[in-house]
Amino acid sequence: MAKVDIKMPDEFLERMSKLGSNFDAIAESVLEAGGEIILDRARSNLSAVVGSGTKYDSRSTGELENALGLTPAKVDRNGNHNIKLGFAEPRRDGGSNAKLATILEYGKHGQPAKPFLKPAKSASKTACQNAMMQKLEEEVGKL
């Protein structure tokens, strides 16, 4: 499955570290705000590429698009807060949504690539950072 990794500016990370005991709760809400921006763009891109440019009529059920979502924000073993964009598994037919998404993103023999994740990452990076900064300001203002 594709991985999207967006590094936050140092200034942002320094401000986050000054929040003390409220850091974890605020970090989660800030990550969710940024994740929603990328999720919306990825979902829009996925809708545009599913079934487009094929020889035959599309047999799309919408299951891949509906399976796209965000995980809850979690702390990894290194102490980093993460939120992940991915696909719920398995499909109703027993197949893998991640496999279908990978085929769409990178293509296969006889099927050209139709990237939707990589363009979503690059197109929404600034908007994601801005949304996260705005959410941080909002949360800090509540303290």
Side-chain angles (χ1 to χ4, degrees), residues 9-140:
D10 290 334
E11 172 192 330
F12 176 78
L13 294 174
E14 286 174 21
R15 293 186 70 203
M16 290 293 286
S17 68
K18 294 178 183 176
L19 298 175
S21 63
N22 297 321
F23 178 79
D24 289 335
I26 292 174
E28 289 177 8
S29 65
V30 168
L31 284 171
E32 288 169 2
E36 288 295 330
I37 300 292
I38 295 176
L39 176 63
D40 291 342
R41 180 61 67 122
R43 199 170 265 149
S44 171
N45 290 356
L46 180 59
S47 295
V49 301
V50 168
S52 67
T54 60
K55 289 182 190 177
Y56 307 104
D57 292 337
S58 175
R59 296 179 299 167
S60 173
T61 62
E63 191 171 355
L64 184 63
E65 294 173 46
N66 292 332
L68 183 62
L70 292 174
T71 65
K74 295 182 182 177
V75 180
D76 66 13
R77 65 177 168 247
N78 297 324
N80 297 319
H81 289 76
N82 296 305
I83 191 166
K84 297 179 182 178
L85 178 114
F87 294 89
E89 297 291 348
R91 295 177 58 82
R92 287 186 299 239
D93 62 4
S96 170
N97 284 315
K99 178 181 174 185
L100 292 177
T102 301
I103 291 169
L104 275 175
E105 184 77 15
Y106 299 106
K108 66 178 186 175
H109 181 73
Q111 181 176 338
K114 297 177 187 175
F116 64 95
L117 282 176
K118 196 169 186 178
K121 175 189 173 188
S122 58
S124 59
K125 182 177 180 179
T126 303
C128 175
Q129 289 176 342
N130 291 338
M132 292 174 76
M133 291 293 284
Q134 182 179 1
K135 184 67 173 179
L136 176 63
E137 295 293 335
E138 179 184 313
E139 292 293 329
V140 169

